[in-house]
Amino acid sequence: AIVSCKRIRGQLYYKVKWEGCGPEDDSWEPESTLSEDVPEELAGYHLRVGLGPEKVKKESAASLRQRIAAAEDLEDEMEYLANPAAFLSPALQSTAPHLTKGSL
């Protein structure tokens, strides 16, 4: 999880608390790495702390919308993979019992 951010020599870095690790393993990661590897986590951090990118660094509203949309798309995809039948109409659900939750 991203827990903080700061500028170092003009570059934005985010403090990452690694899942399953102790505080001694926390690290400062450059924005470029996180925006490529986990853009949804970065967008989620900005939303969670109520600190939009414009407060941390100049970034267009369109770019932020793209990051949020990417995070929402990923969330939808994960939900679909967990339960594809939920995305079918009730009529199709009855004709596709092999797509019930946990059958994949």
Side-chain angles (χ1 to χ4, degrees):
I2 299 173
V3 295
S4 185
C5 65
K6 68 179 178 180
R7 285 191 186 278
I8 302 173
R9 295 188 183 113
Q11 270 196 300
L12 200 56
Y13 285 79
Y14 292 86
K15 187 173 186 178
V16 177
K17 178 174 176 28
W18 300 102
E19 189 174 324
C21 298
E24 67 279 359
D25 295 316
D26 292 357
S27 63
W28 289 95
E29 301 295 331
E31 179 188 32
S32 58
T33 299
L34 297 177
S35 63
E36 288 177 17
D37 297 343
V38 288
E40 67 285 351
E41 182 75 19
L42 197 55
Y45 169 77
H46 287 159
L47 292 172
R48 190 172 63 250
V49 298
L51 180 65
E54 70 281 352
K55 297 283 188 182
V56 179
K57 148 188 164 175
K58 294 289 184 193
E59 182 172 332
S60 71
S63 177
L64 180 59
R65 281 193 297 274
Q66 285 177 331
R67 288 181 193 225
I68 292 169
E72 289 171 347
D73 288 346
L74 181 60
E75 186 176 302
D76 288 346
E77 186 174 337
M78 291 172 65
E79 186 178 330
Y80 171 77
L81 290 173
N83 187 10
F87 288 80
L88 298 175
S89 70
L92 286 176
Q93 286 180 16
S94 64
T95 63
H98 62 285
L99 289 178
T100 58
K101 186 174 184 176
S103 66
L104 296 178

